[in-house]
Amino acid sequence: MLILGIESSCDETGLALYDTEAAGSFAPGASSKGSWNPASGLLTHALHSQIEMHREYGGVVPELASRDHIRRLIPLLGEVLNRAGKDKHDIGAVAYTRGPGLAGALLTGTAMANALAMALGKPVIGVHHLEGHLLSPLLSANPPAFPFVALLVSGGHTQLMRVEGVGRYELLGETLDDAAGEAFDKTAKLLGLPYPGGPAVSALAEQGRHGAVTLPRPMLHSGKLDFSFAGLKTAVLAQARHLPASDPEAEQARADLACGFVDAVVDVLGDKSAAALKQTGLKTLVVAGGVSANKQLCAALAAKAKKSGWKLHFPELALCTDNGAMIALAGALRLQADAEAADWSYTCDVQPRWPLEDLVGA
């Protein structure tokens, strides 16, 4: 079956086509080995980023994001169909991001998915955005096998999950306040860096000196797997107020502060992930979400994995950010695991706030 995936939860419009027959048979709880090769099912995907539009505002403007999705969805549909050599009538089901995300942005993709599916007489599958991220490493050249521990780390979420299979998730820990990506964005503003803040802080940190600025590692020794980054952000604010005003001292001081911030975040994420693996007895860590592309985090986790003997998996770089491919995959797996996942009601409802743990057993 050919699955169309539509992602429009925030500031990226993504569409993709996924062929379940090309991927091979999938059974609930199956590993990524054997006849099932999930990556081979992805025929093509296309993405439009709104970064340039939102940059002058220093962050995402929800109304502008929604309007831009409306402009991009139909052209991107034509693009993926042309690339794959398919016609819209070849589509067997439409998967779309139902939540969480910006309500208006979600509604644009939801409306298109339901309208197209109704016109074609095909079902829709509402997909949880974070489940898409969680499963996205299955599209890599070296996909992980279930079970594994997943670190979901993005602008809005930081969570550790035990993953037994599709829809079989256990929440191990989550942020109690700011997400890691949100802390990156706020730190970027304090340092006068442009939107998006994460890559800018990471790049500036590369020019900094390790240990020149020491910042707190919140909840690192709490004995729990939860996170907290609000205090770290406050510590950056206190340090930023005392940055020198003259160049080149100011530039080096900003770089040192960025380096101290990144080191603190990476230490917390790395140590909590290691603790989750120890607690569960699992040996595979999957890292997904926008922050999974962070160079310092990737390097630190790779070093820990080598030292401790775990397996480490990331999405392909092009699939770290929001994209239609992960939604198409999640929809395909949901449909293959449970035929009742197909929805013929075309109700266009969205879930701007939707905890991932609500999917357990679903």
Side-chain angles (χ1 to χ4, degrees), residues 3-350:
I3 309 290
L4 172 67
I6 301 175
E7 157 61 26
S8 68
S9 64
C10 190
D11 60 343
E12 279 142 341
T13 315
L15 274 77
L17 289 171
Y18 190 88
D19 185 349
T20 59
E21 292 185 9
S25 60
F26 164 77
S31 74
S32 57
K33 298 179 180 179
S35 61
W36 183 46
N37 182 6
S40 64
L42 180 61
L43 301 186
T44 187
H45 67 102
L47 183 72
H48 174 76
S49 173
Q50 301 175 3
I51 284 177
E52 291 302 321
M53 181 177 68
H54 294 294
R55 178 169 283 142
E56 64 177 298
Y57 303 100
V60 177
V61 181
E63 177 66 18
L64 294 180
S66 302
R67 290 174 180 269
D68 197 63
H69 286 310
I70 293 171
R71 285 192 291 267
R72 308 294 177 180
L73 283 164
I74 298 299
L76 286 175
L77 173 61
E79 184 176 336
V80 294
L81 288 171
N82 287 337
R83 284 186 192 172
K86 301 291 184 180
D87 182 85
K88 62 180 180 293
H89 296 287
D90 296 324
I91 296 170
V94 182
Y96 66 95
T97 303
R98 186 183 175 200
L102 301 174
L106 289 168
L107 280 168
T108 62
T110 300
M112 176 176 169
N114 281 271
L116 179 61
M118 181 183 290
L120 296 175
K122 304 297 182 180
V124 291
I125 308 155
V127 172
H128 194 293
H129 178 76
L130 292 183
E131 184 172 38
H133 275 301
L134 188 152
L135 298 174
S136 63
L138 294 174
L139 293 171
S140 65
N142 179 32
F146 300 121
F148 54 76
V149 168
L151 172 64
L152 294 175
V153 56
S154 66
H157 302 85
T158 302
Q159 297 177 318
L160 281 164
M161 307 287 297
R162 180 188 178 114
V163 181
E164 293 289 339
V166 178
R168 299 165 62 194
Y169 313 129
E170 177 189 354
L171 179 66
L172 302 175
E174 63 183 340
T175 183
L176 303 180
D177 41 59
D178 289 356
E182 185 179 1
F184 266 94
D185 288 338
K186 291 179 177 178
T187 294
K189 289 186 178 181
L190 292 173
L191 295 176
L193 297 173
Y195 170 85
V201 172
S202 180
L204 181 60
E206 292 180 343
Q207 309 303 317
R209 298 168 294 183
H210 295 285
V213 175
T214 301
L215 295 172
R217 272 71 170 158
M219 299 189 71
L220 186 59
H221 303 294
S222 67
K224 299 180 180 179
L225 297 178
D226 291 324
F227 303 88
S228 173
F229 294 105
L232 176 59
K233 175 199 66 181
T234 302
V236 172
L237 172 61
Q239 293 279 350
R241 287 173 174 168
H242 301 290
L243 289 174
S246 61
D247 293 327
E249 291 181 3
E251 281 305 305
Q252 186 60 59
R254 288 171 70 247
D256 289 344
L257 182 52
C259 183
F261 167 78
V262 172
D263 285 348
V265 172
V266 167
D267 283 351
V268 171
L269 294 176
D271 286 6
K272 294 279 187 178
S273 297
L277 289 166
K278 183 177 181 180
Q279 178 178 302
T280 59
L282 298 177
K283 296 294 184 181
T284 301
L285 178 68
V286 165
V287 188
V291 183
S292 66
N294 180 273
K295 292 180 181 179
Q296 292 92 337
L297 178 61
C298 293
L301 289 176
K304 281 182 175 292
K306 183 176 181 180
K307 181 178 179 180
S308 303
W310 348 306
K311 294 179 181 179
L312 181 62
H313 296 267
F314 294 91
E316 301 292 347
L317 188 59
L319 302 181
C320 286
T321 58
D322 298 346
N323 61 85
M326 68 183 192
I327 303 304
L329 172 67
L333 296 184
R334 279 282 175 181
L335 192 59
Q336 287 183 301
D338 180 10
E340 293 185 3
D343 180 6
W344 300 82
S345 63
Y346 312 122
T347 52
C348 287
D349 64 324
V350 296

